[in-house]
Amino acid sequence: MVTAIVIPIICLYFFWITKKEMKQNDSNWLASAEVNKEAIVTGEIKSISQEKQRFYYHRYILIQELKLQTESKIISAKKITPIRNNIKIDTFPIGEMIRIYGCWEGNHFHFSEFEIIQKGD
């Protein structure tokens, strides 16, 4: 009698915890693309690398890392994009001048918004 009551309650409790955890991880996955626009960096794209990483079970992110030659040094900039069904992946042509908006995280620049500029600007 006690088993017939306790086991379904335990199963429902773990189901509720799992749903709550999945909802939290989904919101973290979507928030991984959001970046505070605290700084602006302008430079020429020297190299590009892309990597697909697992974020949480069936959720993936695309990390695009750019090496930019600014007026004074080469910096590393990262763009993180959650991979969805209808995703449009940004392409960055090597040799183009680019202005990126984001913030510094450690020794790399994390950005979410960019614009390709003309060499004369």
Side-chain angles (χ1 to χ4, degrees):
M1 177 75 175
V2 173
T3 306
I5 296 172
V6 173
I7 291 179
I9 291 173
I10 291 173
C11 289
L12 287 173
Y13 174 74
F14 283 114
F15 176 76
W16 176 72
I17 294 229
T18 304
K19 288 291 269 185
K20 183 177 166 184
E21 182 180 305
M22 285 178 60
K23 185 184 282 188
Q24 178 66 34
N25 283 317
D26 282 348
S27 64
N28 289 344
W29 172 67
L30 291 173
S32 67
E34 297 173 10
V35 177
N36 293 332
K37 295 174 184 83
E38 300 171 350
I40 300 172
V41 174
T42 303
E44 181 181 352
I45 299 174
K46 292 296 184 183
S47 68
I48 304 163
S49 64
Q50 290 185 356
E51 181 181 9
K52 179 181 171 182
Q53 288 184 356
R54 176 176 282 177
F55 186 81
Y56 177 78
Y57 288 112
H58 60 286
R59 301 290 186 202
Y60 291 91
I61 56 175
L62 177 70
I63 299 177
Q64 295 173 307
E65 186 170 355
L66 309 175
K67 297 289 184 190
L68 295 177
Q69 175 66 53
T70 63
E71 291 179 0
S72 59
K73 63 181 178 177
I74 294 179
I75 64 163
S76 175
K78 288 186 180 180
K79 182 175 195 294
I80 298 175
T81 308
I83 297 177
R84 300 180 187 168
N85 291 338
N86 56 356
I87 186 172
K88 179 186 174 288
I89 297 174
D90 296 321
T91 56
F92 301 99
I94 293 177
E96 288 288 329
M97 290 293 289
I98 189 171
R99 182 174 295 139
I100 55 178
Y101 304 92
C103 64
W104 288 98
E105 291 184 359
N107 58 356
H108 71 273
F109 192 78
H110 188 176
F111 73 99
S112 63
E113 190 176 319
F114 68 95
E115 63 179 306
I116 296 176
I117 57 175
Q118 303 300 322
K119 298 261 185 186
D121 289 345

